[in-house]
Amino acid sequence: MSENKFGLVYAGALEENVPGGVELRPISFNNFDGVKIAANLYLPSNFDASQSLPAIVVAHPNGGVKEQVSGLFAQRLAEKGFVTLAFDAAYQGASAGEPRQTDRPSNRVEDIRASIDYLETFKGVDTNRIGALGICGGGGYTVQVSKTDKRIKAVGTISMFNSGRVRRNGFGDSQLATIPDRMAQAAAAREKYAKTGEVDYIGDLLTHRTEFTKEQLEQIPAGLYRDGVEYYGDTHFHPNSQSRYTAMSLMDLMAFDAENNVDLIDQPLLMMVGDVSDTRYMTEAVFNKATGTDDKKLILIKGASHIETYWVPKYVDQEVTAMNDFFSAKL
């Protein structure tokens, strides 16, 4: 576990709340399904509840938790004057829900909506100036929510990951021939759970920080997955962060696609992705289909891969500057 008081594992994380600085408040609230959501609320320096400030919900990557990259961007944007909220998805992290690591799109969508509900009741937030920022898988789900939840006035994504497309088609649409096999796997897992209560998982359970040798890393395909193993398993390890998910989640994941009906987004839209990222195709597909808004911008971060947009200082600084400019202008 991180030695940081708040469990934060990103660079420059708050160590304690000090007068005149950004304040972090660990909070919780129930989503519409009654599941308790654990969250961190970041308040700008010298926050006063009599103010009427813009606010941003920040959704984490698949398998991530609020103490990692979503917390980093929540803190950095709070430093710019926004009220921000980073939360753990239901069934994941410190939030409640069983079976653990269930990853159903409808749950992730509801979590974002419930976060907006919370912000709307928080004194000091202007309910007409709420934005949403989603990172990786959280980006895909933020896109999904923004199609119909017009309480979101501006939409931002970083390294958006279209979870449904990848779980259905494989990474880079490389496993189209095995779609029936994964559907059968999901059905078998659901049947097993119904009969025995046992849960089948896809992926590994992370129980401790692991230092990987060069030889071990070279056994993993370069790009998102190799960098992700280092990020989640070593450099930014957090015990609540898990790369695995329930096999029966595939039943819902495989029918989900962030690209569908994306023309319903009529809010201002900013999408950012590394120009050499192997996930770039997902951001570009959504951006090109987002024809419902003329107020949209795609920023390619020169030299950045997917995971590097989470933590490399020069890339994070670029992203924070762009997101601050965007949300300041649109909220």
Side-chain angles (χ1 to χ4, degrees), residues 9 26 41 43 78 82 107 199 245 267 308 318:
V9 295
L41 184 69
L43 302 176
F82 298 92
N107 294 343
V199 182
Y245 58 97
Q267 304 98 313
E308 287 178 333
Q318 291 177 49

Side-chain angles (χ1 to χ4, degrees), residues 65-96:
V65 289
K66 62 187 180 299
E67 291 85 2
Q68 296 166 327
V69 61
S70 60
L72 167 61
F73 281 94
Q75 179 178 326
R76 293 290 298 272
L77 288 169
E79 291 169 357
K80 301 294 186 181
F82 298 92
V83 174
T84 59
L85 190 155
F87 62 92
D88 286 341
Y91 304 88
Q92 301 173 32
S95 292

Side-chain angles (χ1 to χ4, degrees), residues 30-324:
N30 288 345
N31 69 14
F32 198 73
D33 299 317
V35 178
K36 186 176 182 180
I37 302 298
N40 285 334
L41 184 69
Y42 292 79
L43 302 176
S45 59
N46 301 311
F47 172 79
D48 185 332
S50 66
Q51 296 172 299
S52 186
L53 298 175
I56 302 169
V57 173
V58 186
H60 63 66
N62 293 336
V65 289
K66 62 187 180 299
E67 291 85 2
Q68 296 166 327
V69 61
S70 60
L72 167 61
F73 281 94
Q75 179 178 326
R76 293 290 298 272
L77 288 169
E79 291 169 357
K80 301 294 186 181
F82 298 92
V83 174
T84 59
L85 190 155
F87 62 92
D88 286 341
Y91 304 88
Q92 301 173 32
S95 292
E98 297 285 346
R100 301 306 297 166
Q101 286 87 55
T102 295
D103 192 24
R104 300 175 66 220
S106 59
N107 294 343
R108 296 292 304 266
V109 165
E110 167 54 26
D111 296 336
I112 296 171
R113 289 179 176 155
S115 298
I116 297 170
D117 293 343
Y118 179 87
L119 288 174
E120 286 190 315
T121 65
F122 187 77
K123 291 183 179 180
V125 167
D126 184 342
T127 59
N128 292 313
R129 292 197 291 163
I130 294 177
L133 170 60
I135 303 158
C136 185
Y141 295 124
T142 295
V143 165
Q144 183 72 7
V145 176
S146 301
K147 296 172 186 176
T148 57
D149 196 331
K150 301 309 176 180
R151 296 178 299 173
I152 296 174
K153 304 304 182 186
V155 186
T157 69
I158 296 173
S159 298
M160 194 220 74
F161 189 89
N162 187 348
S163 302
R165 179 174 174 176
V166 174
R167 303 301 183 228
R168 179 176 62 254
N169 298 345
F171 193 67
D173 298 327
S174 62
Q175 296 175 288
L176 296 173
T178 59
I179 288 176
D181 296 335
R182 288 192 299 284
M183 287 182 172
Q185 180 185 18
R190 179 74 183 234
E191 180 179 3
K192 179 179 180 179
Y193 180 70
K195 290 180 176 179
T196 69
E198 295 181 39
V199 182
D200 284 344
Y201 287 96
I202 297 171
D204 298 321
L205 177 66
L206 302 179
T207 58
H208 59 280
R209 174 177 280 107
T210 303
E211 292 185 9
F212 299 93
T213 66
K214 180 181 178 182
E215 291 73 21
Q216 287 174 317
L217 291 173
E218 287 177 347
Q219 298 301 310
I220 305 168
L224 171 64
Y225 293 121
R226 183 185 296 178
D227 293 348
V229 164
E230 282 193 282
Y231 181 89
Y232 289 108
D234 185 4
T235 62
H236 294 75
F237 172 80
H238 192 284
N240 289 342
S241 175
Q242 294 296 332
S243 61
R244 69 176 186 170
Y245 58 97
T246 64
M248 56 186 171
S249 295
L250 284 173
M251 282 188 169
D252 302 279
L253 283 164
M254 291 180 72
F256 170 76
D257 198 321
E259 296 173 35
N260 292 342
N261 303 120
V262 75
D263 58 305
L264 290 175
I265 292 181
D266 55 6
Q267 304 98 313
L269 174 67
L270 174 61
M271 306 188 78
M272 306 181 70
V273 66
D275 69 342
V276 297
S277 171
D278 49 9
T279 62
R280 173 176 165 177
Y281 73 97
M282 297 184 223
T283 288
E284 291 181 328
V286 166
F287 185 83
N288 292 335
K289 292 181 179 179
T291 57
T293 179
D294 293 326
D295 190 354
K296 64 176 184 176
K297 185 176 183 179
L298 172 63
I299 296 178
L300 300 178
I301 306 165
K302 186 174 179 57
S305 65
H306 183 101
I307 295 293
E308 287 178 333
T309 63
Y310 294 12
W311 69 272
V312 174
K314 65 179 180 180
Y315 301 141
V316 171
D317 289 345
Q318 291 177 49
E319 292 154 10
V320 170
T321 296
M323 285 294 169
N324 175 53

